């Protein structure tokens, strides 16, 4: 085990961190928007919308992300004349946008199920109280239901964010030079996969550690009612007596 080579590989792999974070942030943000829409479709009570959302979730949760990336990047390339006529070829010929699209669609399926569970867990008494105050429709969702649901979904969505960071490594198979892509290039030139993958794993570990701390901080900030109350001065005086 060459520690100096691991160190040098670690430094070289850092060049792929910006692309890894970029893929994660953009795909995750788009995925959250789609996930909210899908969760609302499942909860709408309209059979057609419910079945469309069910089919979407079943499709993207039931097939590997790797296959989805291949289908979007290589599969849609077979329909180049059609895409060119629609003005979409500029988008689908770029591996960057194909990776963003595949990651977004995939995380939306998982995120929608997390949000659906969170929406169902919103206490009915709080909804009834809001309706008694005159709220309904979008105002009820925006001020009462969605804030509570998002707060309750945050721990599970934090796990989904970590899975998204790791899923970006699959983008390297369509020529994206993220951390894993640079690692593959280093391995092909040095034939030392163990040291290179140790360095790459350390980078992903550091990123995910920081993200877990960030999610934990956000969870702490959104749940002030769950914190232990500060000790009052009267209590301290009683303890001293």
């Amino acid at each position: 085990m060459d520690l100096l080579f691991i160190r040098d590989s670690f430094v070289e792999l850092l060049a792929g961190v910006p692309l890894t974070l970029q893929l994660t942030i953009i795909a995750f943000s788009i995925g959250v928007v789609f996930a909210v829409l899908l969760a609302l479709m499942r909860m709408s009570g309209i059979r057609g919308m419910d079945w469309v959302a069910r089919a979407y979730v079943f499709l993207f949760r039931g097939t590997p992300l790797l296959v989805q990336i291949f289908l979007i990047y290589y599969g849609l390339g077979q329909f180049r004349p059609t895409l060119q006529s629609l003005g979409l070829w500029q988008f689908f010929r770029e591996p960057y946008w194909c990776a963003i699209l595949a990651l977004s669609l995939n995380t939306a399926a998982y995120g929608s199920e997390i949000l659906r569970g969170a929406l169902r867990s919103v206490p009915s008494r709080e909804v009834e109280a809001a309706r008694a105050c005159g709220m309904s429709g979008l105002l009820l969702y925006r001020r009462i239901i969605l804030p509570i649901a998002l707060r309750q979904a945050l721990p599970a969505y934090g796990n989904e964010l970590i899975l998204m960071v790791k899923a970006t490594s699959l983008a390297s198979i369509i020529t994206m030079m993220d951390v894993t892509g640079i690692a593959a290039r280093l391995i092909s030139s040095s034939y030392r996969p163990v040291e290179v993958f140790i360095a790459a794993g350390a980078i992903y570990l550091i990123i995910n550690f920081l993200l877990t701390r960030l999610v934990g901080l956000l969870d702490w900030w959104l749940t002030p009612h769950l914190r232990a109350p500060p000790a009052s001065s009267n209590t301290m005086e009683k303890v001293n007596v």
Side-chain angles (χ1 to χ4, degrees):
M1 187 75 67
D2 189 344
L3 295 180
L4 287 177
F5 185 75
I6 294 176
R7 186 200 63 184
D8 295 339
S9 299
F10 183 89
V11 173
E12 191 162 348
L13 291 174
L14 288 177
V17 171
L19 181 57
T20 295
L21 293 179
Q22 203 176 84
L23 289 173
T24 302
I25 293 171
I26 296 177
F28 190 77
S29 302
I30 297 173
V32 168
V33 176
F34 285 162
V36 172
L37 294 175
L38 287 169
L40 293 178
M41 288 170 68
R42 290 291 307 274
M43 306 263 312
S44 65
I46 303 173
R47 183 171 296 182
M49 296 176 70
D50 181 31
W51 278 104
V52 169
R54 281 175 185 268
Y56 178 93
V57 172
F58 177 74
L59 177 65
F60 281 92
R61 291 179 69 192
T63 55
L65 175 59
L66 183 62
V67 173
Q68 295 164 19
I69 293 175
F70 276 143
L71 283 176
I72 291 175
Y73 183 63
Y74 294 112
L76 292 180
Q78 298 180 6
F79 305 98
R80 178 175 177 175
T82 305
L83 294 174
Q84 284 177 327
S85 63
L86 296 174
L88 297 175
W89 179 241
Q90 296 294 326
F91 179 91
F92 285 103
R93 77 175 186 178
E94 296 292 337
Y96 177 82
W97 294 116
C98 289
I100 291 285
L101 179 62
L103 292 170
S104 303
L105 295 177
N106 185 269
T107 190
Y110 289 93
S112 67
E113 290 299 289
I114 295 172
L115 290 178
R116 189 171 67 88
L119 287 169
R120 287 187 179 277
S121 66
V122 174
S124 58
R125 62 179 182 276
E126 299 194 22
V127 177
E128 292 300 325
R131 283 177 175 157
C133 294
M135 295 184 193
S136 62
L138 290 178
L139 183 64
L140 178 64
Y141 268 91
R142 184 167 59 86
R143 289 192 175 180
I144 304 297
I145 296 177
L146 284 180
I148 295 175
L150 291 175
R151 190 171 59 201
Q152 294 182 349
L154 185 60
Y157 232 115
N159 291 333
E160 179 60 25
L161 178 60
I162 291 170
L163 291 175
M164 174 58 66
V165 173
K166 293 186 284 187
T168 58
S169 62
L170 294 176
S172 62
I173 62 174
I174 53 174
T175 71
M176 298 295 293
M177 297 306 288
D178 64 335
V179 173
T180 306
I182 296 177
R185 189 188 64 190
L186 281 176
I187 291 169
S188 62
S189 61
S190 66
Y191 299 103
R192 303 172 80 170
V194 175
E195 288 91 342
V196 174
F197 277 132
I198 287 176
I203 290 176
Y204 283 110
L205 196 63
I206 292 170
I207 293 174
N208 286 329
F209 174 78
L210 294 176
L211 286 177
T212 55
R213 297 302 93 191
L214 184 63
V215 172
L217 182 63
L218 185 59
D219 186 41
W220 177 85
W221 180 66
L222 290 175
T223 55
H225 58 287
L226 298 180
R227 299 175 210 159
S232 64
S233 57
N234 292 335
T235 305
M236 295 298 294
E237 289 173 1
K238 289 179 182 177
V239 171
N240 292 332
V241 170

